[in-house]
Amino acid sequence: IVCSAIDITDKKEIKDNLPALIDPAQLSDFHSHAADYWLREGDRRERLYHLLRAGRDKEAEMLLASHGSQMSLSSDRDLFDLVMAVPCQHNRYGPRIREVRGTVARSVAEHLVALKVSEEQIASDDIDERLKGIKLKGGVLADRQEFPEAYKALVSGRDSVTGVDMDLECAIAEVLIAQGKADEAKGLI
């Protein structure tokens, strides 16, 4: 019925035009029902989208904090947009949300966003989050082929750990190899 009121010939046009024809409160209810449907179907990405559209922000935070790592395995621009739209209002979920944001931003080559997230992590009082931020920063700088800066950032992470963090040492070794310092990297590993 609604579609006959406007000349819509494809699904994209429906998606773009239909929300304007529906009362915002009713549209929010539709998104809320869709979020619940996708919960039953097990599609977390769709659920996240509809939770955000329904204004169910706390549930979106909880979903991203608990399942964001798995979701980030198939990162793309759409997921990046979704992840960045999730508010980070609850301290309980903040560290995990920042980690997912950084991972997704890095995987879609949004280097400036990833560096900003890494700085937020590095500023944390939590040692684990700080170390994750240092690794993210080093990884992004290496992605940008800024190897001396990446090395410096990663080596600074050694002060944050007691003992040896193998992931950190491997990241440092990769940066050394990229700079042609394979012997030094071997000695590290």
Side-chain angles (χ1 to χ4, degrees):
I1 297 172
V2 174
C3 294
S4 64
I6 54 177
D7 185 25
I8 295 178
T9 56
D10 67 31
K11 290 179 184 177
K12 180 167 176 17
E13 287 183 60
I14 292 172
K15 183 180 177 186
D16 292 345
N17 293 305
L18 192 58
L21 301 172
I22 299 173
D23 174 61
Q26 191 176 20
L27 184 59
S28 179
D29 285 344
F30 290 158
H31 280 295
S32 190
H33 287 291
D36 295 339
Y37 170 80
W38 289 113
L39 172 64
R40 290 187 301 274
E41 293 296 312
D43 189 327
R44 293 181 179 120
R45 184 186 284 213
E46 279 296 321
R47 177 167 169 73
L48 182 61
Y49 170 81
H50 290 289
L51 285 172
L52 288 169
R53 296 286 185 226
R56 293 165 58 181
D57 293 345
K58 185 170 183 184
E59 289 176 82
E61 283 184 81
M62 291 168 36
L63 175 63
L64 191 59
S66 60
H67 297 288
S69 295
Q70 295 93 351
M71 292 169 64
S72 68
L73 295 175
S74 58
S75 294
D76 56 26
R77 295 297 308 183
D78 289 336
L79 182 62
F80 172 76
D81 292 339
L82 277 176
V83 166
M84 296 311 293
V86 174
C88 193
Q89 300 170 336
H90 298 89
N91 288 338
R92 179 178 182 183
Y93 308 117
R96 288 179 282 173
I97 289 174
R98 283 188 288 275
E99 183 178 1
V100 173
R101 282 182 174 165
T103 300
V104 172
R106 182 178 176 202
S107 70
V108 297
E110 282 288 343
H111 296 140
L112 294 178
V113 173
L115 287 172
K116 183 176 185 260
V117 171
S118 75
E119 293 303 327
E120 291 171 7
Q121 290 175 304
I122 291 168
S124 173
D125 292 333
D126 182 77
I127 293 170
D128 290 334
E129 185 175 13
R130 197 171 351 168
L131 184 58
K132 288 175 183 177
I134 289 167
K135 290 177 191 177
L136 175 61
K137 182 177 182 176
V140 171
L141 291 170
D143 293 346
R144 292 169 44 153
Q145 298 185 355
E146 297 174 24
F147 299 116
E149 294 84 359
Y151 177 80
K152 182 179 175 184
L154 291 168
V155 168
S156 76
R158 287 180 173 155
D159 298 336
S160 300
V161 296
T162 53
V164 176
D165 182 296
M166 289 308 296
D167 289 337
L168 180 62
E169 296 302 319
C170 287
I172 293 169
E174 288 175 7
V175 169
L176 287 170
I177 291 168
Q179 294 180 85
K181 300 176 181 178
D183 290 337
E184 193 175 338
K186 279 183 201 175
L188 230 130
I189 295 174

